[in-house]
Amino acid sequence: MSTPRIPFLKGHGTENDFVIVPDPDNTLDLPPAAVARLCDRRAGIGGDGLLHVVRSAAHPEAAGMADRAEWFMDYRNSDGSIAEMCGNGVRVFARYLQRAGLVGEGDLAIATRAGVRRAHIAKSTAAHGGSAAAEGDITVGMGKSLLAEGEFTVSVGESRWPARNVNMGNPHAVAFVEDLAQAGNLFTAPAVHPASAYPDGVNVEFVVDRGPAHVALRVHERGAGETRSCGTGACAVMVAAARRDGIDPAVTGRLATYTVDVPGGRLVISEHPDGTVEMTGPAVIVAEGMIDPDWLSGTPS
Ligand SMILES: N[C@@H](CCC[C@H](N)C(=O)O)C(=O)O
């Protein structure tokens, strides 16, 4: 009997693109090599990462969150490595659940390795025909940022910039530059100093100003290379930009909101007086299909 084909979908959030593999009961074997094969842009489906959609109760890393969030985002980078969190991924994950009829518009909770995140799926508009595939925005509560004390730098070639070390569930180094072109081709990961500050690697964001409370970034993602967007990175950038601008909602008691442009679109990010960060942006499912299990396992057919 032949092995059944594996359903998948493809989606993106501000062009941070993902292979989505629904596996409610966690029955699929997805070793790093299989993830890298699926995310390969020439020999596979292609993506910056993979969203393995599993019921929290069925996954050993999420079972403890099952009472608060039915679904677990088992996120993998395109090189097959595991990441704690993916901001754009959470929105696309929520969009998948909506499209599959597993959740409706409104609020839902999603378990991630960084903890439970709450998403709000905006009501579909008539302009989108009210369909479940509508491209309305999704807002995600991204938790609190953690800014490390100390001196950090990021360098590309001979250039070196001071950086903020911001954790959004996953690690980020944020450097303000004069011009985004200074980041170079970003084929390889920029050097970070001290490297010991990031024992598990780091995502690196380069940032320029576009106007008041408006910045733009380029990013090199750990485990994926340069991508068109990074949601957690955009949140790290928002917090770093606010502090640089002398704004700390915990001190002022007022919400701070920044527009963060990424190569693949725009995200709007707010920090509340209690320190929680909220991100709003699009999430789109573009295709669905079937994976050949023999190809995935590398078994010649
Ligand atoms: N693109 C994501 C971040 C994905 C994980 C990251 N590469 C890491 O290893 O931490 C986002 O939108 O946040």
Side-chain angles (χ1 to χ4, degrees):
M1 210 171 67
S2 64
T3 323
R5 294 187 303 162
I6 303 161
F8 78 94
L9 298 91
K10 177 78 195 277
H12 77 92
T14 52
E15 299 181 4
N16 200 193
D17 63 340
F18 310 103
V19 179
I20 303 157
V21 181
D23 181 22
D25 300 323
N26 198 21
T27 56
L28 291 175
D29 187 23
L30 281 176
V35 173
R37 215 169 159 84
L38 288 165
C39 291
D40 188 304
R41 295 198 179 279
R42 298 187 186 271
I45 296 162
D48 296 325
L50 181 141
L51 306 174
H52 183 208
V53 184
V54 188
R55 267 184 220 286
S56 301
H59 200 289
E61 288 180 82
M65 294 180 270
D67 57 336
R68 287 169 292 147
E70 183 178 0
W71 295 97
F72 172 53
M73 179 179 76
D74 172 17
Y75 185 78
R76 317 290 184 88
N77 285 313
S78 61
D79 69 354
S81 61
I82 284 174
E84 303 88 336
M85 177 50 188
C86 176
N88 290 321
V90 172
R91 296 198 317 278
V92 174
F93 192 99
R95 179 71 79 216
Y96 160 72
L97 294 177
Q98 179 195 19
R99 178 186 167 107
L102 296 165
V103 302
E105 289 162 345
D107 296 331
L108 75 144
I110 295 169
T112 75
R113 291 190 176 86
V116 174
R117 298 288 179 260
R118 300 203 68 82
H120 178 85
I121 304 175
K123 206 167 163 46
S124 305
T125 62
H128 289 111
S131 82
E135 295 179 19
D137 281 348
I138 295 180
T139 300
V140 179
M142 299 285 289
K144 294 182 182 179
S145 65
L146 258 177
L147 281 108
E149 296 293 333
E151 306 245 314
F152 308 96
T153 63
V154 164
S155 56
V156 172
E158 298 298 302
S159 308
R160 184 185 279 240
W161 301 270
R164 292 304 301 252
N165 176 337
V166 188
N167 193 293
M168 284 304 313
N170 57 350
H172 295 270
V174 178
F176 292 90
V177 297
E178 289 291 309
D179 186 332
L180 290 178
Q182 288 175 297
N185 61 34
L186 288 183
F187 290 152
T188 52
V192 288
H193 312 271
S196 58
Y198 309 102
D200 302 317
V202 65
N203 303 284
V204 181
E205 288 80 26
F206 297 90
V207 191
V208 292
D209 287 299
R210 287 274 192 255
H214 185 183
V215 293
L217 68 78
R218 281 179 68 198
V219 58
H220 184 282
E221 276 194 45
R222 176 180 66 169
E226 180 169 19
T227 61
R228 305 272 301 160
S229 179
C230 177
T232 48
C235 292
V237 163
M238 182 270 156
V239 172
R243 297 301 179 277
R244 180 206 58 175
D245 296 342
I247 298 168
D248 184 347
V251 175
T252 61
R254 283 200 303 275
L255 184 78
T257 299
Y258 278 64
T259 299
V260 182
D261 289 345
V262 295
R266 177 167 285 183
L267 295 163
V268 176
I269 299 172
S270 298
E271 188 182 18
H272 292 260
D274 68 359
T276 55
V277 176
E278 209 167 67
M279 172 182 60
T280 299
V284 189
I285 305 293
V286 298
E288 53 183 299
M290 290 289 177
I291 300 161
D292 176 347
D294 293 334
W295 168 78
L296 188 59
S297 64
T299 311
S301 45

